[in-house]
Amino acid sequence: MGKRITISTESLNCYGTWVKTDGVDCGQYLNNPVMLWMHTRGVIIGCIKDFKTEGKVMTGEPYFDEVREESRLAKQQWEKGTLKMCSPYFEILEYSEDPSLLKPGQTRPTVTRCKLIEVSMVDIGGNDDNIVRLGYQGKDLRLAAGEECDALPLLKDNSGDFPQNNNSKEKESMNVDFKAIALKLGLPETATEAEILARIGILQGFQNANEELRKQLDEIKLAGVTQMVDDAIKAGKFNADKKDHFISLGKTMGADALKLTLDSMASATKPMQLLGGTGNTPGGAVPKGQWNKLREVPEAELKLMRENDPDRYRALYKAEYGIDCPKF
């Protein structure tokens, strides 16, 4: 058995229409399954053998009689694989504009009934499957893109306008993209472009509002952190030069965590403010060198300790406030 070729399918062709396979009358052709070269009458190069219709696809086996030079050359190119396509010539009997029969990107009515007249081997096909040639009342139809034809007129949309183009693959892909976008936006897959753009506009408004609210919330949180730090400074828990440090700490750990830290820190009491005590020095001050917390260190000694004994200062700082001493 030789190589078979696809004669016709129900795919959209270059004219913006398609042919229903079950509407093709092949009776006359099967009695004379002639195969021409480029639809040229009189240039017979062979015939189609083992013609079959399976589902929506018509196929057959090209037979080259090699009587004419065109037949001999076509056979050689067919066997080499450089000649690959054929073209059926259909005589249109009926067509329909029924929406259920229209495919994405279709610009002319669907051919529902026709007669197969001949099959030709051709150099370049008009669509992915093969090239289809159409006729009406014995005359070839010249179906140039966008041009009217009484035998097979252009379809019109609901507004009465002609479709802009016949790029079926582009339109089909665009329709699929619109469906996916519509469903992602919570719209039905039948949503129009205007409805999709309107929903996107609403979502963009929500996004802008959320960003503004987030900015306001950050400002409120910063104000709360700053107030807590200012209150801690007034309570003497640390000096004002540590304000930026604790504000930064509050931004990082959050206002609630900062509040817990500040609440755990005791307010500082200067030695001269002590009213009596149990120490052995006047005023109840802790003897020099026996300090356990920063509050027990006289002010005059604090500066010297920071410069001369920073490790001791850091240890007393942590004992006083419960956190590591910031770098200084």
Side-chain angles (χ1 to χ4, degrees):
M1 181 179 293
K3 294 191 295 184
R4 300 186 67 79
I5 193 168
T6 300
I7 297 172
S8 179
T9 68
E10 293 190 349
S11 62
L12 201 64
N13 58 47
C14 62
Y15 306 122
T17 184
W18 61 281
V19 178
K20 279 180 62 63
T21 301
D22 60 8
V24 179
D25 180 1
C26 303
Q28 178 179 321
Y29 179 74
L30 293 178
N31 292 329
N32 181 35
V34 65
M35 183 170 67
L36 306 182
W37 174 247
M38 298 294 291
H39 295 294
T40 304
R41 292 291 301 273
V43 184
I44 301 174
I45 61 174
C47 64
I48 296 294
K49 292 185 176 182
D50 195 25
F51 184 96
K52 290 182 180 180
T53 299
E54 298 173 305
K56 300 178 180 180
V57 181
M58 291 181 180
T59 63
E61 181 183 334
Y63 167 74
F64 301 87
D65 60 19
E66 300 185 74
V67 173
R68 302 176 62 93
E69 182 64 20
E70 293 90 345
S71 179
R72 289 191 289 272
L73 291 175
K75 180 180 180 181
Q76 293 176 24
Q77 291 181 316
W78 170 254
E79 292 176 346
K80 292 287 187 181
T82 53
L83 181 62
K84 300 179 179 180
M85 304 192 81
C86 71
S87 169
Y89 182 15
F90 293 122
E91 178 77 16
I92 298 174
L93 301 178
E94 290 182 3
Y95 61 81
S96 173
E97 297 184 8
D98 185 346
S100 65
L101 297 177
L102 300 182
K103 297 178 181 290
Q106 187 167 342
T107 57
R108 296 184 188 274
T110 302
V111 178
T112 54
R113 287 186 60 243
C114 63
K115 180 186 293 186
L116 177 59
I117 304 300
E118 52 94 355
V119 175
S120 289
M121 296 301 296
V122 295
D123 49 5
I124 300 175
N127 58 23
D128 292 343
D129 300 319
N130 48 38
I131 184 170
V132 178
R133 189 172 180 181
L134 300 174
Y136 181 70
Q137 295 181 349
K139 297 181 180 179
D140 288 348
L141 299 185
R142 303 299 179 182
L143 303 177
E147 291 186 6
E148 266 290 20
C149 174
D150 293 336
L152 196 65
L154 286 167
L155 292 170
K156 297 182 179 181
D157 57 26
N158 295 333
S159 63
D161 296 327
F162 294 118
Q164 294 181 352
N165 60 61
N166 181 38
N167 191 335
S168 61
K169 289 188 175 180
E170 179 181 348
K171 276 184 169 284
E172 186 171 7
S173 175
M174 186 167 60
N175 289 340
V176 172
D177 291 343
F178 272 3
K179 288 181 181 179
I181 294 172
L183 293 174
K184 194 71 173 178
L185 294 174
L187 295 170
E189 64 178 23
T190 56
T192 64
E193 180 179 359
E195 291 171 334
I196 290 174
L197 292 176
R199 178 60 61 89
I200 292 175
I202 292 173
L203 294 179
Q204 287 177 332
F206 286 154
Q207 181 180 8
N208 294 336
N210 286 337
E211 290 176 355
E212 183 63 27
L213 288 174
R214 188 179 298 110
K215 181 180 179 181
Q216 294 177 6
L217 181 59
D218 290 342
E219 292 175 351
I220 293 172
K221 288 180 178 179
L222 177 60
V225 167
T226 303
Q227 185 61 50
M228 281 193 288
V229 172
D230 287 339
D231 292 343
I233 293 174
K234 291 179 182 178
K237 295 185 177 182
F238 49 82
N239 295 330
D241 60 350
K242 302 297 185 296
K243 179 176 180 177
D244 291 341
H245 165 74
F246 281 97
I247 289 178
S248 178
L249 191 64
K251 290 179 179 178
T252 303
M253 63 193 308
D256 293 340
L258 177 64
K259 186 176 186 303
L260 290 174
T261 300
L262 296 179
D263 288 347
S264 66
M265 297 169 61
S267 300
T269 304
K270 296 180 181 180
M272 73 258 321
Q273 295 175 325
L274 297 175
L275 299 176
T278 57
N280 296 323
T281 56
V286 178
K288 183 175 181 179
Q290 299 181 16
W291 306 306
N292 295 315
K293 295 184 178 181
L294 283 182
R295 74 178 72 179
E296 299 173 350
V297 183
E299 285 187 335
E301 298 287 343
L302 279 176
K303 184 175 181 180
L304 294 175
M305 184 182 294
R306 281 169 60 94
E307 295 176 353
N308 302 325
D309 193 1
D311 291 339
R312 179 73 184 282
Y313 181 88
R314 293 189 182 94
L316 294 178
Y317 184 96
K318 186 169 185 178
E320 177 72 35
Y321 301 121
I323 59 174
D324 291 335
C325 177
K327 293 182 179 180
F328 56 84

